[in-house]
Amino acid sequence: MKGLGIVLAAGVAFGSLLSGAVAAVSAQIYRWTDERGEVRYSQGINSIPPQFRGGAVMMSTPSQPAPSAPAAAEPPAASSAPVGNAPPGGARIPFTPGQPIMVNARINGGGSTQLLLDTGAQGTVISPTALAALGVSYRNAVRGSIKGVTGNADVLAVRIESIEVEGARFGPLLVVSHDAGLGSGRDGLLGRDFLDNFIVTIDSAARVVTLTPKK
């Protein structure tokens, strides 16, 4: 199929995407630091490279998100990260240190969905309910499976023409249609098939994630 061939040629092979997209359906969310000192978030301890697991900190479980600090105790994160300062073709995403980083992802230039920015997930995962609400077609979906704590789960991967986060845009790509069980208001994971097209800088002091397009 011509459309999917474009994605595969770009290096997003479906088999490898499925094998790393979700570590486990009911896995916890962890914060860890890589060899460059960059803070990363991953779903499931198995999605973290073995050498960094000892320093990983569990943030929350899918059914019990980590509690947010009272609004009065934390100044709004957005005030530290004006969108106007984003690099050309990139994005500045405000976040609260110690909490999972959520992004508002615009799909195919239309509606948006809430995704957890996950530098440990190889592929992007969006729940079937969210994809249906966005009008994403399953006409050319590809079948596959992912590994979970209870065994393999059959899933579909669907073609997305573009994902845009605060001005940072990439596509086309395949996303896994699957409910990752992240809890209310979290429709899935934004993985490395999108993020690897940008330099991802997580600045806890400024409370902002910057996506800078790679040249």
Side-chain angles (χ1 to χ4, degrees), residues 126-208:
I126 303 178
S127 74
T129 301
L131 289 172
L134 293 165
V136 174
S137 172
Y138 282 77
R139 183 179 59 183
N140 296 320
V142 179
R143 293 189 178 276
S145 64
I146 57 176
K147 292 182 180 180
V149 292
T150 58
N152 291 342
D154 293 331
V155 296
L156 295 174
V158 296
R159 177 189 169 100
I160 297 295
E161 296 300 326
S162 68
I163 296 180
E164 183 176 345
V165 177
E166 301 293 346
R169 185 177 182 274
F170 178 75
L173 70 165
L174 289 174
V175 302
V176 176
S177 173
H178 183 70
D179 186 355
L182 296 174
S184 177
R186 300 175 179 179
D187 298 322
L189 307 171
L190 184 66
R192 285 167 41 203
D193 52 349
F194 177 89
L195 296 172
D196 279 355
N197 298 282
F198 304 88
I199 299 171
V200 181
T201 304
I202 300 177
D203 188 337
S204 296
R207 305 198 305 176
V208 64

Side-chain angles (χ1 to χ4, degrees), residues 95-144:
F95 76 101
T96 300
Q99 300 295 321
I101 301 173
M102 301 302 301
V103 300
N104 187 47
R106 189 180 183 188
I107 307 299
N108 293 340
S112 298
T113 186
Q114 295 296 310
L115 303 179
L116 170 66
L117 190 152
D118 188 346
T119 58
Q122 184 172 347
T124 295
V125 181
I126 303 178
S127 74
T129 301
L131 289 172
L134 293 165
V136 174
S137 172
Y138 282 77
R139 183 179 59 183
N140 296 320
V142 179
R143 293 189 178 276

